[in-house]
Amino acid sequence: MDRRGGAGTAPSRQAPHHSPASRRDRKPSMFEKEAYAQIVRERLRESFHDVQYVEPPFDDSIADIGKEWKSALAKLKFTNSYRMEPLKKFQAHPVETKIHQILKDSLKDVKYDDRVFSHLSLELADQVLATVKEFGYHRYKFIIKVLFIQKTGQAIHIASRWIWDVAWDSWIQAKHETESYVALVLVFALYCE
């Protein structure tokens, strides 16, 4: 009598028999040693590459160009200074005065025009950023927003949210107003440890 609890003989369950011919027909697994090399060979054979040739400058050798690229891509490694506060805290008043002067000089005779202001806002933001960086505040990141608002009798609310360190971070607002528009520049100075 069978101990499994069945009376008589139980039907046998055998794994289907695989012939060697059926193994050759199936796709090889990438985890088998020989099959992995075969898969790689097939993929390389099926792939193609577009190669573009760039003519090097005639006055420099190719070896010199490679050295320039390596030096440009090399990252500088600095040791940790563990400095938790800036050497010089951001002073809002002198920066604000300078930005007011930039707005007055840049927008002296400018009339409201959407197409002109899209390019002018980028130029003003670059100019303001360069001016703020001249003050030499180390480890500060600056975010510049330049807004041109046409006067059509409407009200406007502008809101910004930041993770803010009250001790070291600061911001400035500079405004230039004409009959047809208002130019508003916001500068956020964020200290990065």
Side-chain angles (χ1 to χ4, degrees), residues 33-159:
K33 265 187 176 178
E34 307 86 31
Y36 182 73
Q38 180 184 353
I39 290 170
V40 170
R41 271 187 256 117
E42 286 175 5
R43 286 184 183 167
L44 289 176
R45 186 175 35 226
E46 293 172 1
S47 67
F48 61 92
H49 305 283
D50 290 334
V51 178
Q52 295 179 353
Y53 176 71
V54 178
E55 185 75 30
F58 292 108
D59 55 346
D60 295 330
S61 71
I62 294 175
D64 293 338
I65 293 172
K67 289 177 188 174
E68 290 174 14
W69 283 359
K70 282 184 181 179
S71 64
L73 296 176
K75 283 190 173 182
L76 295 175
K77 293 184 180 181
F78 296 103
T79 58
N80 292 333
S81 65
Y82 303 104
R83 180 178 303 283
M84 302 298 285
E85 58 187 46
L87 296 172
K88 180 167 83 170
K89 188 177 176 183
F90 184 78
Q91 300 294 319
H93 183 68
V95 176
E96 187 176 357
T97 307
K98 191 75 170 174
I99 293 172
H100 275 294
Q101 188 62 38
I102 290 172
L103 284 176
K104 190 185 288 185
D105 294 344
S106 299
L107 305 173
K108 194 179 333 183
D109 298 323
V110 178
K111 302 288 184 198
Y112 184 82
D113 186 11
D114 293 344
R115 288 163 287 188
V116 172
F117 281 165
S118 64
H119 298 289
L120 188 60
S121 62
L122 294 174
E123 291 174 12
L124 270 175
D126 290 340
Q127 191 176 359
V128 167
L129 181 62
T131 303
V132 171
K133 284 185 175 182
E134 286 176 3
F135 283 92
Y137 296 111
H138 298 287
R139 293 191 177 190
Y140 273 94
K141 288 191 178 185
F142 300 103
I143 300 169
I144 316 290
K145 281 187 173 184
V146 178
L147 305 166
F148 287 102
I149 305 152
Q150 185 180 14
K151 285 186 177 178
T152 56
Q154 81 279 16
I156 187 166
H157 294 281
I158 299 169

